[in-house]
Every structure is written in C-alpha cells, then in structure tokens.
Amino acid sequence: AFHSLVKFLMDYYDHTYSACFHQADADNSGLLDPAEVQNMIYVLGFLPDPQRVQQLIKEHDPAGVGVSRDDVSKLMAKHREHHLLVWQESAGFSEGEIGIFKSHFLRMDKKSNGFISMRECMGFLETTGRQPTNKEEQESLIRLFARMDKTGENVLDFSGFLQFLRQWSNEHLRRTRARELRCASEAGLSEGEMEDYRRLFEAGRWSVKQRRGSMPFGTYSGLGSPVVTADGIVEGCRQFRVAVKDHRTFIRDTIRLVSPQHFWLDDEQPAAPFPEFLLVLKALREIGAFD
C-alpha cells in the first residue's frame, strides 16, 4: 500500500509539473527562461523567492539555454524541500509575525547572547494572554520549554522560541476549544447554538475595535485571545437585533465573576474571552435581560 501511494504521488506530481510546464512555456520552445520558471512556481502555489529561483536555475541550467521539462521535476523537488525547511524553521508563522516576534525576542535577550530564559518567555506569554492559568498548564509549559531547549541550559534561541510559540499556541487552541464546549454545556447551549453566538461575540468584539481604533488588549498577532467588553456585548446584540436591556454594570460584574482570568482594557473595562462570554449570556437570560 505504501509503494502504491508513493507511485500515485510521483505520477501526480509528474502530471502537474507537465501541465504547468506547457502553460508556462509561452513561446512553445520546450525550454523555460527564468521569468517562465518563476511564473510556473507561482502557478504551483508557491511564493517564489527570486534569489532562490536563480540559484536553482543555475544548478539545472548551467549553460543558460533554458530549463527543460525533465529538469523541471528535479528543480521542483529541490524547491519543495527548501520550502518545507523554511516552513519548519518559521514554525508556520508569516514573515510579518516573525518580524514582530524577532523584535520582542531581541528586547527579551538582556544578555545579547541570542538566548532567552523561561522567565523572559513567560513575560512574553503574559503580554499576549497565553500564560498558563493553572498548575497543569504550568507543568505542560515547563515540559515543552525543556523539549525546545537544545542547550540543556534552560534557554531558547530564536528558532526554538518560534517552535515553542507554535506548539504552545496549538495547545492553547485545544484547551480553548475544550473550555468553549464546557461553558456552552453549562449555559445549556448545543454546539450549533454556540457557533451562532460566536457571530454575536465577533460583532461585539469588532465594535470595540472600531470605536477604540485598536484591538482590545489580549489580541496579538494570532497568539492572543479575542475578548469583548460589556459595551461590546450590548452593541453586538443590537447589531443582530437581539433585544437586550442595558445591564452594563451587571455584565461587568459577571465578567469579573465568571472569568477570573479576564482582561483589562486601558480604560479599565473588564473583558471576557468567548467561553466566558457564553456564561455572561446565561446570567443575562437568568435575570430576564432579554426582552
């Protein structure tokens, strides 16, 4: 079965490269110039790095006459390997995110030796709303940090920091999903109803963004937790034409009660992530806030 799968993939790539080669070969010469090679790589779904493409072309077309159909398969095999390596090194983050993380890393690197400690890493997680919230999560973070530490000295270089962020973010997403389902169950909501309320949450969240001109504290470059305030909940209900009495003080007090790890915006408004937002709605229903 494994060999059959390998053959299928090889045939698939060969067919795909052949079709793209003929599409890129605008003059039907049977050879691709550098611009045509770059266009073919783009058609195949990659964002070609011009310098990397030129390097590959020189390797497979040293005479400079053009890249043949047979050479395309070899060139693309190397390009895929390079693309995978870059993806692994970047931990799947975009260039923009890596730039942001790099600037934070350099600020955390107090010794300017290319490494940061667990304490410094924890400080970063706290600013992004991804710090561990209980003993189990703390132990999980310590184990993950140790796996990413290649020196044995309880420090991470930038590559290890990126890998750490990716895996911790994935764990955070899994924990968040479990918390969402638990809070939905406590609020008496089905999974489908929970997703309907997510749209209301997003409306309230974005209304905060538009009014304040910036994302609420806690949302940060794909790593933070989106949050919503009492004002956002009321505005979100209005956008979806859900009649709700104005109980902003009650909502703020409820956020503090049901979400001990709630966020504070810079105007000292408490704000709840989506799972606790579901519990706020439950409390509003119980006091008859919805008409």
Side-chain angles (χ1 to χ4, degrees), residues 132-145:
T133 58
N134 54 52
K135 184 177 180 181
E136 181 182 352
E137 291 182 10
Q138 288 175 347
E139 292 174 348
S140 176
L141 183 142
I142 291 171
R143 289 193 298 270
L144 176 59
F145 194 95

Side-chain angles (χ1 to χ4, degrees), residues 127-170:
T127 66
T128 62
R130 288 298 172 98
Q131 70 274 26
T133 58
N134 54 52
K135 184 177 180 181
E136 181 182 352
E137 291 182 10
Q138 288 175 347
E139 292 174 348
S140 176
L141 183 142
I142 291 171
R143 289 193 298 270
L144 176 59
F145 194 95
R147 288 204 306 272
M148 297 300 105
D149 175 18
K150 306 304 181 185
T151 67
E153 298 180 5
N154 205 33
V155 293
L156 297 179
D157 61 10
F158 183 63
S159 176
F161 176 61
L162 289 179
Q163 298 296 331
F164 171 85
L165 289 181
R166 170 54 62 200
Q167 294 196 36
W168 183 249
S169 179
N170 290 343

Side-chain angles (χ1 to χ4, degrees), residues 183-202:
C183 288
S185 176
E186 186 176 339
L189 302 173
S190 68
E191 190 169 345
E193 289 172 326
M194 178 184 76
E195 295 305 326
D196 288 338
Y197 280 117
R198 192 186 300 276
R199 292 188 299 157
L200 192 152
F201 173 84
E202 290 295 329

Side-chain angles (χ1 to χ4, degrees), residues 226-281:
V227 293
V228 68
T229 64
D231 291 343
I233 291 174
V234 172
E235 292 177 16
C237 287
R238 288 174 179 169
Q239 285 188 33
F240 277 84
R241 298 181 181 178
V242 176
V244 59
K245 296 175 183 177
D246 196 338
H247 290 285
R248 295 173 196 253
T249 300
F250 174 81
I251 294 173
R252 294 188 186 103
D253 291 341
T254 304
I255 289 175
R256 297 187 186 99
L257 179 66
V258 302
S259 181
Q261 298 295 327
H262 61 262
F263 298 89
W264 289 95
L265 303 188
D266 55 20
D267 58 359
E268 298 188 352
Q269 284 198 70
F274 178 67
E276 285 71 24
F277 160 77
L278 299 174
L279 299 180
V280 173
L281 293 186

Side-chain angles (χ1 to χ4, degrees), residues 7-239:
K7 185 178 185 306
F8 169 79
L9 290 174
M10 291 179 65
D11 290 343
Y12 170 79
Y13 281 126
D14 186 68
H15 175 76
T16 302
Y17 294 156
S18 181
C20 289
F21 178 89
H22 292 299
Q23 181 180 344
D25 185 15
D27 57 4
N28 296 316
S29 65
L31 297 170
L32 300 184
D33 62 30
E36 290 172 331
V37 171
Q38 188 155 323
N39 180 60
M40 186 195 73
I41 293 175
Y42 180 80
V43 169
L44 285 166
F46 297 95
L47 291 176
D49 177 354
Q51 292 183 342
R52 176 61 183 168
V53 172
Q54 287 294 333
Q55 181 182 347
L56 289 171
I57 290 174
K58 287 180 180 180
E59 291 177 8
H60 295 89
D61 179 30
V65 297
V67 179
S68 69
R69 167 64 187 84
D70 291 337
D71 287 333
V72 160
S73 294
K74 300 174 185 176
L75 183 148
M76 285 307 303
K78 284 197 172 184
H79 185 73
R80 285 202 319 273
E81 291 176 3
H82 175 73
H83 184 78
L84 178 59
L85 180 62
V86 170
W87 188 88
Q88 289 173 334
E89 291 177 346
S90 67
F93 292 117
S94 68
E95 290 185 10
E97 288 172 324
I98 290 175
I100 292 172
F101 298 150
K102 185 69 173 180
S103 64
H104 279 276
F105 183 89
L106 292 174
R107 283 198 293 270
M108 291 186 289
D109 181 13
K110 304 299 184 183
K111 297 180 180 179
S112 300
N113 61 357
F115 294 94
I116 61 171
S117 67
M118 180 181 291
R119 177 177 294 183
E120 291 164 336
C121 193
M122 274 293 296
F124 176 80
L125 293 178
E126 289 174 1
T127 66
T128 62
R130 288 298 172 98
Q131 70 274 26
T133 58
N134 54 52
K135 184 177 180 181
E136 181 182 352
E137 291 182 10
Q138 288 175 347
E139 292 174 348
S140 176
L141 183 142
I142 291 171
R143 289 193 298 270
L144 176 59
F145 194 95
R147 288 204 306 272
M148 297 300 105
D149 175 18
K150 306 304 181 185
T151 67
E153 298 180 5
N154 205 33
V155 293
L156 297 179
D157 61 10
F158 183 63
S159 176
F161 176 61
L162 289 179
Q163 298 296 331
F164 171 85
L165 289 181
R166 170 54 62 200
Q167 294 196 36
W168 183 249
S169 179
N170 290 343
E171 288 186 19
H172 179 84
L173 290 175
R174 286 192 292 270
R175 289 193 300 270
T176 298
R177 182 61 178 176
R179 198 168 84 248
E180 287 177 355
L181 294 173
R182 186 170 62 251
C183 288
S185 176
E186 186 176 339
L189 302 173
S190 68
E191 190 169 345
E193 289 172 326
M194 178 184 76
E195 295 305 326
D196 288 338
Y197 280 117
R198 192 186 300 276
R199 292 188 299 157
L200 192 152
F201 173 84
E202 290 295 329
R205 168 195 170 192
W206 286 108
S207 68
V208 172
K209 176 188 177 185
Q210 291 164 356
R211 187 177 68 253
R212 294 174 55 79
S214 62
M215 290 299 286
F217 178 76
T219 298
Y220 179 86
S221 187
L223 284 177
S225 298
V227 293
V228 68
T229 64
D231 291 343
I233 291 174
V234 172
E235 292 177 16
C237 287
R238 288 174 179 169
Q239 285 188 33

